[in-house]
Amino acid sequence: MLQELTISNKYYYHNCISFIMLGVWIYISIKGYTLKNKSIKNKLSTLIITICLMQECIDFINRIFLDSHYIFSIQRDLPLLQFCQISFYFSLLCIFLNKKNIDSNTKYSLNQFLFDCSFLLGFSGAFQGIITPDFLNINNMVGVICIQLQHSLIILNLVWLMSAYGYTLKFKGVCLTYLFINIIAPFALWFNKLLGENVAGDPANYFYVNELPKVDNFFLNFVSQYPSPDYILYIQPIFIIYFLGLYFPFMLFNKLKK
């Protein structure tokens, strides 16, 4: 579990876990739609939250103590400073609030924003992270498991919220999420500059505003030739098209439902 893996083994184990999680997604979606017992639904929500938090704890333990090749630093390892991480914790918070029946009475609630933001950032990040994984600084089996689950658990959370609690993506959420990521960008540039480099010479790169992930990704390839922070501007049309593309099935469903 703690031995250094070759790149081929990393892909092999990552793909095996991905196929297993595909079955888990299908099971959770069916279970959510068919489950009527509120008590059991709350227990499953608690189980999902617990598994997600345990995965996060194991990941930090591996990076700090178990992986001798990994250099843990505040420049690279602070939580909640990547869009996938925001999606992960927002979806967990949304599950928790629904489990506790905590929601505002407004037409567009906090819970709805948490879901919308998680869905847009999760599907635009988690699926890409699964299809084109970035194994930079991932050295052992525990690291491979954690990086796969960090992305696939986001999708599991979203599937559970849609099937068990009936969430759908709202157009207002598309607009607010687009605004949200553009508010974050300038602060992320400033924060990364403030943190500087770690002992290995790696600069802080939270929210990938300084450097794009080193993966062969269809969307990122459109802007990969531009330096930072220029590509933040060039990636705006991609965000808009991608977000609207994710919203289109929900818009079509709502029209057919009416």
Side-chain angles (χ1 to χ4, degrees):
M1 292 290 286
L2 302 181
Q3 293 178 342
E4 189 172 3
L5 299 175
T6 63
I7 188 65
S8 59
N9 282 337
K10 291 176 186 178
Y11 275 105
Y12 173 77
Y13 291 123
H14 179 274
N15 292 337
C16 288
I17 301 170
S18 298
F19 280 111
I20 293 172
M21 290 306 299
L22 177 61
V24 175
W25 297 339
I26 295 172
Y27 171 79
I28 283 294
S29 64
I30 296 173
K31 192 71 175 177
Y33 279 118
T34 57
L35 186 61
K36 304 301 180 185
N37 189 303
K38 187 175 181 181
S39 176
I40 297 177
K41 185 184 293 186
N42 287 339
K43 289 179 180 178
L44 282 174
S45 293
T46 302
L47 178 62
I48 290 171
I49 294 172
T50 303
I51 291 173
C52 288
L53 294 179
M54 285 178 60
Q55 178 275 139
E56 284 290 277
C57 291
I58 293 171
D59 180 42
F60 274 98
I61 290 171
N62 180 57
R63 281 187 277 170
I64 297 172
F65 301 109
L66 303 180
D67 188 350
S68 59
H69 298 283
Y70 191 89
I71 300 175
F72 187 87
S73 66
I74 62 171
Q75 286 82 6
R76 293 278 170 153
D77 297 288
L78 294 178
L80 269 173
L81 292 178
Q82 299 292 6
F83 287 123
C84 279
Q85 284 269 294
I86 288 179
S87 174
F88 181 78
Y89 283 105
F90 274 19
S91 62
L92 284 182
L93 181 58
C94 189
I95 293 174
F96 175 79
L97 293 177
N98 279 277
K99 174 180 171 292
K100 296 294 184 180
N101 292 321
I102 300 173
D103 199 356
S104 60
N105 295 320
T106 58
K107 189 174 182 180
Y108 187 83
S109 66
L110 171 63
N111 290 11
Q112 184 64 52
F113 171 74
L114 292 173
F115 171 80
D116 291 340
C117 193
S118 298
F119 185 91
L120 292 167
L121 300 181
F123 272 76
S124 62
F127 269 121
Q128 293 175 33
I130 293 172
I131 297 170
T132 57
D134 181 7
F135 289 128
L136 183 65
N137 296 321
I138 302 298
N139 302 303
N140 56 25
M141 183 66 178
V142 177
V144 172
I145 294 172
C146 288
I147 193 176
Q148 205 289 333
L149 291 181
Q150 282 174 353
H151 295 110
S152 61
L153 287 176
I154 295 171
I155 299 173
L156 184 143
N157 293 345
L158 295 171
V159 168
W160 179 246
L161 285 168
M162 287 187 289
S163 60
Y165 296 105
Y167 277 89
T168 60
L169 184 62
K170 306 297 184 185
F171 182 73
K172 187 173 183 179
V174 174
C175 299
L176 289 176
T177 302
Y178 179 73
L179 179 64
F180 177 64
I181 61 177
N182 280 283
I183 290 174
I184 285 177
F187 288 101
L189 285 167
W190 169 80
F191 188 63
N192 286 330
K193 186 177 181 179
L194 178 67
L195 292 178
E197 298 179 349
N198 63 12
V199 294
D202 299 319
N205 190 31
Y206 292 115
F207 297 106
Y208 294 111
V209 292
N210 289 349
E211 184 182 6
L212 291 170
K214 293 181 174 64
V215 295
D216 184 15
N217 185 282
F218 176 77
F219 294 101
L220 297 183
N221 289 342
F222 280 106
V223 297
S224 59
Q225 70 272 24
Y226 299 104
S228 173
D230 294 357
Y231 67 74
I232 297 175
L233 298 176
Y234 288 100
I235 207 172
Q236 297 300 315
I238 297 175
F239 274 131
I240 294 171
I241 294 171
Y242 198 89
F243 283 5
L244 292 177
L246 289 174
Y247 174 68
F248 180 76
F250 292 93
M251 181 186 70
L252 188 63
F253 174 78
N254 290 332
K255 288 186 178 295
L256 291 174
K257 189 176 180 181
K258 290 179 181 179

